[in-house]
Amino acid sequence: VPVLFLVAAPYIRRYVAGGQCKSTAKLDGKVVIVTGANTGIGKETARDLARRGKVIVACRDIRKAEAAASEIRTETGNQQVIVKKLDLADTKSIREFAEKFLAEEKELHILINNAGVMLCPYSKTADGFEMHLGVNHLGHFLLTFLLLERLKQSAPARIVNVSSLAHHGGRIRFHDLHGEKCYNRGLAYCHSKLANVLFTRELARRLQGKSQRRAEFTANALHPGSVHSELVRHSFVMTWLWKIFSFFLKTPWEGAQTSIYCAVAEELDSVTGQYFSDCQPAYVSPWGRDDETAKKLWNVSCELLGIQWD
């Protein structure tokens, strides 16, 4: 058995690694925002894109973000890797980030909504939203809303939402969005990832409807794969399992490939409202294709955030 495993190991690793972004597209003169880019796939996404253009590292933990940005600057030789504070669990922080960004940057070509939380014990954001829903969905929903005009002015532009295969286990429980009646940390994560897929679908529909040229604005979602990262830090059991089975998990670099693909691949210039995995289109759950739920979630999200987004 050990001999067979050694023989099969390279093939197993190649299968686990999944698709790889082959695009060599440069982003000269372009600006990219990557949320949660201080660790994991966000950091690897920022590292790759820093070899192509200017990257804004948007993170809650400034110390970690500065360390990551410094490492990326040294490795890529690109000094245009800039750290800005963004706490997606606080709408005040999101608004402050957007206000400063819009004052300092005249263009925005790619927004990668990457940051996320997973398996959190029950808790709420500064605004009273259940943590998974608040950070993974509502925080990025508000951020996208605040930056959309700058994206439009910079068109062609792309919005990339990092979702998960876990969206298959999610449901939008409008009667208990914040888990006050019933809470399961695993399901809460699934619900928020489904929200990412539905947001992407509805956003693409709305952008497409208002644009004469379909390629001007695109919004796509993706599953990065099962990645060995800090995302499972809130669960002792998952952290333990991740260490034991790390051989069968993607590295952060491998997990970042589909995010990078959605951000730069030339063949996606006019592709919008889709869901990708391993750098190719992937199956979306029936709940992720429900247009009525997508529209209702959009309206409820606007109400919760106190915004009008028509």
Side-chain angles (χ1 to χ4, degrees), residues 30-43:
K30 295 192 174 183
V31 181
V32 182
I33 291 176
V34 185
T35 68
N38 61 345
T39 187
I41 66 172
K43 182 179 176 182

Side-chain angles (χ1 to χ4, degrees), residues 171-183:
R171 306 288 185 275
I172 304 302
R173 304 170 69 248
F174 289 108
H175 66 286
D176 190 25
L177 271 180
H178 304 295
E180 293 167 327
K181 298 175 182 176
C182 178
Y183 181 76

Side-chain angles (χ1 to χ4, degrees), residues 189-209:
Y189 176 72
C190 295
H191 301 333
S192 70
K193 294 290 102 178
L194 174 59
N196 292 154
V197 172
L198 291 169
F199 169 45
T200 303
R201 187 177 184 87
E202 181 65 8
L203 176 62
R205 186 187 70 80
R206 288 168 179 256
L207 291 178
Q208 202 173 332

Side-chain angles (χ1 to χ4, degrees), residues 117-118 132 136 164 166 185-193 231:
V117 294
M118 180 180 182
H132 293 89
N136 297 351
S164 170
R185 64 172 81 181
L187 289 177
Y189 176 72
C190 295
H191 301 333
S192 70
K193 294 290 102 178
L231 194 60

Side-chain angles (χ1 to χ4, degrees), residues 2 18-19 22 30 33-34 36 60 66 116 153 156 166 179 187 196-197 243 259 262 265 270 279 285 310:
K22 305 292 187 182
K30 295 192 174 183
I33 291 176
V34 185
R60 177 177 56 85
E66 288 289 1
Q153 292 164 11
L187 289 177
N196 292 154
V197 172
K243 287 180 179 178
S259 294
C262 289
S270 61
C279 300
S285 78
D310 299 321

Side-chain angles (χ1 to χ4, degrees), residues 243-290:
K243 287 180 179 178
I244 292 176
F245 295 105
S246 60
F247 182 82
F248 300 98
L249 299 172
K250 288 186 178 184
T251 65
W253 181 85
E254 291 164 350
Q257 293 305 301
T258 307
S259 294
I260 298 164
Y261 174 75
C262 289
V264 303
E266 297 89 340
E267 61 266 34
L268 298 187
D269 279 346
S270 61
V271 175
T272 191
Q274 301 301 306
Y275 173 75
F276 294 86
S277 178
D278 285 327
C279 300
Q280 59 186 4
Y283 179 75
V284 178
S285 78
W287 296 275
R289 289 179 269 124
D290 188 328

